[in-house]
Amino acid sequence: MRCFPSLLLPALVVLAYACSLAAEPGLYNLADFGPTATPAQAKAAYDAALARLGKIGGLLVIPADVAKQLAIENTAQIAPRTPAPLEETKSWLGDGPGITIIEVNENQTIIKVPPITGLKIERTLRMPMNESLP
């Protein structure tokens, strides 16, 4: 059985949502951060989402009706450094938490990955002894 790309994203979102119910939440809808009826409200909710998720990381879903109101760029991830900017950097403190944004519109689904850590997809295939794939 083949996994078609159009089925992959919904499966990932459902899986991430199921995982977030069992552990600390990691999947959010933009409406979780405030009203989104007007462009100004949507922008305020988006800014609030970045402020909160920028500290803990997570998956943020932007619904189609809201995506039309926003020009979204995923630039929230930082690489903390010492000392603070404007002084010369002495060391980097690793990568900060990343936010993956899923923007849905009538034509497609866009996944905007964290700018520093990006996206990692893993797959482990273990088959019983003497079994193989075609």
Side-chain angles (χ1 to χ4, degrees):
M1 181 175 138
R2 293 183 181 206
C3 183
F4 296 98
S6 62
L7 300 176
L8 181 60
L9 181 61
L12 289 173
V13 170
V14 169
L15 180 61
Y17 182 71
C19 290
S20 73
L21 293 176
E24 182 175 312
L27 175 68
Y28 300 88
N29 188 297
L30 186 61
D32 296 338
F33 298 93
T36 60
T38 68
Q41 289 175 332
K43 175 74 168 102
Y46 182 70
D47 291 343
L50 294 186
R52 171 77 175 122
L53 297 179
K55 297 175 186 168
I56 62 172
L59 187 66
L60 178 64
V61 178
I62 312 288
D65 58 331
V66 180
K68 292 177 188 176
Q69 302 176 43
L70 297 172
I72 299 170
E73 288 187 335
N74 190 357
T75 59
Q77 188 178 25
I78 62 168
R81 55 177 250 191
T82 58
L86 300 173
E87 295 182 47
E88 183 181 346
T89 302
K90 304 286 185 210
S91 68
W92 297 97
L93 303 173
D95 302 328
I99 304 168
T100 299
I101 298 172
I102 299 177
E103 181 181 336
V104 180
N105 64 44
E106 58 276 344
N107 297 321
Q108 61 192 352
T109 299
I110 303 166
I111 300 175
K112 298 181 179 194
V113 301
I116 298 172
T117 54
L119 177 67
K120 180 178 180 179
I121 298 176
E122 292 186 11
R123 176 181 180 205
T124 301
L125 178 61
R126 296 184 201 270
M127 298 185 71
M129 196 71 132
N130 299 325
E131 290 289 328
S132 64
L133 293 174

